[in-house]
Amino acid sequence: MSAPGHVGVYLVTDPVLTDRHGIGVLGVVRAAVDAGVRIVQVRDKDASARDLLALTAAVADAVGDRAAVVVDDRLDVALAARHAGHGVAGVHLGQSDVPVTAARALLGPDAHVGLTANTPAHLAVVAGLPRGTVDLLGVGVVHPTTTKADHPPALGHQGFARIAALARGAGVPCVAIGGVTLDDVAPLRAAGAAGVAVVSGICAAADPSAAAAAHVAAWSAR
């Protein structure tokens, strides 16, 4: 499944958090997708390429066409999973990863290519790329978080809104990430987010199904 045009709640996996309650990554992913999450980013900074490929394949096979699955940072893993026939939409890259132009060329026009961006300079670069190079920007961190080491200074809601406005000018939607809580969902949508990326709020929950459902409901509320 390719990434949805409407993002909403975007789950980012964390194997350490999901193991706290013995649920595991696959259990949390299944619960989140059942609750209405439609995009899942498979992230494990410490996994080998082989182990990350196995996890990505398992996630993609578990959710089928109900959600888009993207791989964090590892273009090689995304390519290998797609080559093996697993339903992986694409990749989400950081500023220090391979260039998004290379990812687009290797993955093709129908794949999903996401990019982390958190400064006006990042947005200026994106604005200079051919349209369609980047499908989605991950903007943050919104609040300080322990799930991402060495994260940049927190933007807060107002800082996020400024970056989101630049993203709209570049024609690229953005999701808010980094320390996002349930109480942040509505304000971030009002600030221009196309979605909210959630890690701890779902992965660390004793009941990830209820947690995911609460985030989806908060996003959908008018």
Side-chain angles (χ1 to χ4, degrees), residues 73-134:
D73 292 349
R74 298 296 298 268
L75 176 60
D76 58 335
V77 171
L79 288 166
R82 286 164 66 89
H83 178 73
H86 301 287
V88 172
V91 70
H92 184 90
L93 300 170
Q95 289 291 321
S96 62
D97 295 323
V98 299
V100 289
T101 49
R104 175 59 68 199
L106 290 167
L107 287 166
D110 297 327
H112 174 85
V113 176
L115 177 68
T116 295
N118 47 51
T119 70
H122 293 161
L123 269 294
V125 172
V126 171
L129 295 171
R131 288 295 175 103
T133 302
V134 178

Side-chain angles (χ1 to χ4, degrees), residues 32-85:
V33 172
D34 286 347
V37 170
R38 291 294 173 260
I39 184 165
V40 177
Q41 183 184 137
V42 182
R43 184 170 79 178
D44 187 342
K45 299 290 189 182
D46 298 322
S48 67
R50 184 179 294 273
D51 287 346
L52 185 60
L53 175 58
L55 176 61
T56 300
V59 168
D61 293 349
V63 303
D65 62 359
R66 296 186 301 148
V69 175
V70 300
V71 183
D72 177 65
D73 292 349
R74 298 296 298 268
L75 176 60
D76 58 335
V77 171
L79 288 166
R82 286 164 66 89
H83 178 73

